Amino acid sequence: MIKPIELVIFDCDGVLVDTERIALPLQVALGAELGWPLTEEEVMDRFIGRSSASIHEAIAGRLGEETAGLWRESFEQRHREAVDAGLSAVEGLPQALGAITLPTCVASSGSHDKMRHTLGRTGLYEHFEGRIYSATEVRRGKPAPDLFLYAAQRMGVDPAACAVVEDSRPGVEAARAAGMRSFGYAGGLTPAERLEGAGTVVFHDMRDLPGLIASD
């Protein structure tokens, strides 16, 4: 018997804050500058939804540690500048949060510093403060289940009673590996077909999320 949902776990980038539209062209530009030309689709396959440690490892394997370090430093600086220049919450997200009555938390591949910055700029940090978990706190990032299982443990909820809101393939794969239901948000950069799979409801408008959770 399927357990009722007791906890909604949100990814951060692309689900709460519209940062993926910032990150994607930045990664493409850095690849062109530093010797690893990548298309937007390749960046999505290799980087989007993954931890900074995983991204660093991939770049170092291709270009060496020194260049990977420069890439990471440049990305973080440019990303911060772009966020400060104008970052918004994902369209419909404030309305969705206002209608969800279940406990919520955040579990993101991003660092705590990054989330303090992005969630802070959009006024969302206070909503989730004390319930924010990062891939830096676990051994393996997405698509491994470690982060979502850690968030469920910290929140005191059985993984089978958790639902994850994600916008990337590694994210929905991690939710499945954790034994959690997932809601794949296809209103951003990731096409719906990349999110589809067992135990995953794909949707396009964040305002629809509360109703989907209630009817699950």
Side-chain angles (χ1 to χ4, degrees):
M1 183 174 178
I2 298 176
K3 288 192 172 188
I5 296 172
E6 298 176 18
L7 172 67
V8 182
I9 303 174
F10 285 91
D11 176 43
C12 183
D13 295 306
V15 169
L16 298 178
V17 288
D18 199 14
T19 45
E20 302 295 32
R21 298 182 196 279
I22 292 173
L24 187 63
L26 285 181
Q27 296 286 29
V28 171
L30 282 166
E33 292 171 23
L34 297 176
W36 190 5
L38 292 163
T39 65
E40 289 192 350
E41 185 174 349
E42 287 171 330
V43 168
M44 289 188 65
D45 282 341
R46 296 173 184 271
F47 298 163
I48 297 300
R50 300 184 186 272
S51 68
S52 57
S54 174
I55 294 169
H56 179 91
E57 183 179 348
I59 296 168
R62 177 84 177 214
L63 302 175
E65 278 291 338
E66 184 176 348
T67 302
L70 176 60
W71 186 312
R72 182 184 221 165
E73 182 180 326
S74 298
F75 176 80
E76 289 177 354
Q77 179 182 345
R78 295 181 195 185
H79 189 274
R80 178 171 285 272
E81 290 170 354
V83 166
D84 286 341
L87 176 67
S88 61
V90 166
E91 185 178 356
L93 187 278
Q95 297 95 312
L97 287 181
I100 293 171
T101 57
L102 291 168
T104 59
C105 69
V106 179
S108 171
S109 294
S111 67
H112 280 287
D113 282 346
K114 180 182 178 184
M115 286 187 279
R116 268 191 293 270
H117 185 221
T118 58
L119 294 175
R121 292 291 298 181
T122 51
L124 292 169
Y125 189 81
E126 289 183 358
H127 182 86
F128 290 103
E129 191 169 6
R131 309 185 317 281
I132 300 174
Y133 309 106
S134 165
T136 59
E137 298 174 77
V138 297
R139 187 171 68 86
R140 300 177 300 170
K142 305 169 190 177
D146 302 30
L147 178 57
F148 291 144
L149 292 173
Y150 175 71
Q153 179 186 32
R154 289 290 302 272
M155 294 293 291
V157 177
D158 184 336
C162 295
V164 172
V165 186
E166 265 286 355
D167 73 318
S168 72
R169 179 182 282 180
V172 292
E173 289 176 350
R176 291 173 198 141
M180 301 177 180
R181 283 159 280 185
S182 58
F183 294 88
Y185 175 60
L189 298 181
T190 302
E193 59 268 21
R194 293 179 63 84
L195 300 171
E196 292 171 350
T200 303
V201 174
V202 178
F203 68 107
H204 294 80
D205 189 328
M206 198 58 75
R207 286 169 285 249
D208 294 336
L209 181 62
L212 294 172
I213 290 172
S215 62
D216 191 86

